[in-house]
Amino acid sequence: MSNLPNAERVLAAVSALALFALNEVRMFQSLPRMPDPGNGQTHAASIQIMDAAAPVYLSLVDLIVRWGLVGLVVALSIWALAETFEKHPQPAK
């Protein structure tokens, strides 16, 4: 019935990547371009969206969320690849 069996693993990896991209856009639009020690935004990061590149300053929470999403994308991508190339026993004839 389905041309893409077990497509949920690919969908999970793509969804995590989309979540990461949305977080990057949020940070690019809302975070300050100069350090703001009063709000804890002192960790510099360079974000490039299309042709626009800008340094932004992240708080510790933003930094943890960013790297957490990177880890999620990598883990789900590895899971999708592992499940795709997993060896299944051949049925006996």
Side-chain angles (χ1 to χ4, degrees):
M1 181 174 158
S2 174
N3 291 337
L4 296 172
N6 300 322
E8 67 275 357
R9 58 182 173 243
V10 174
L11 183 61
V14 170
S15 298
L17 186 58
L19 186 62
F20 174 79
L22 287 173
N23 186 56
E24 290 289 300
V25 169
R26 177 197 63 86
M27 289 191 307
F28 187 80
Q29 295 292 327
S30 65
L31 292 178
R33 304 288 191 247
M34 299 295 292
D36 186 5
N39 289 327
Q41 294 167 323
T42 57
H43 304 282
S46 180
I47 297 177
Q48 181 172 349
I49 307 273
M50 299 290 193
D51 288 334
V56 295
Y57 289 87
L58 310 167
S59 67
L60 187 58
V61 172
D62 290 324
L63 199 60
I64 290 170
V65 168
R66 187 178 195 203
W67 283 106
L69 287 173
V70 167
L72 180 66
V73 169
V74 169
L76 288 175
S77 297
I78 290 172
W79 172 65
L81 284 171
E83 289 289 322
T84 300
F85 295 115
E86 183 180 39
K87 295 195 185 259
H88 296 286
Q90 297 295 327
K93 292 185 180 183

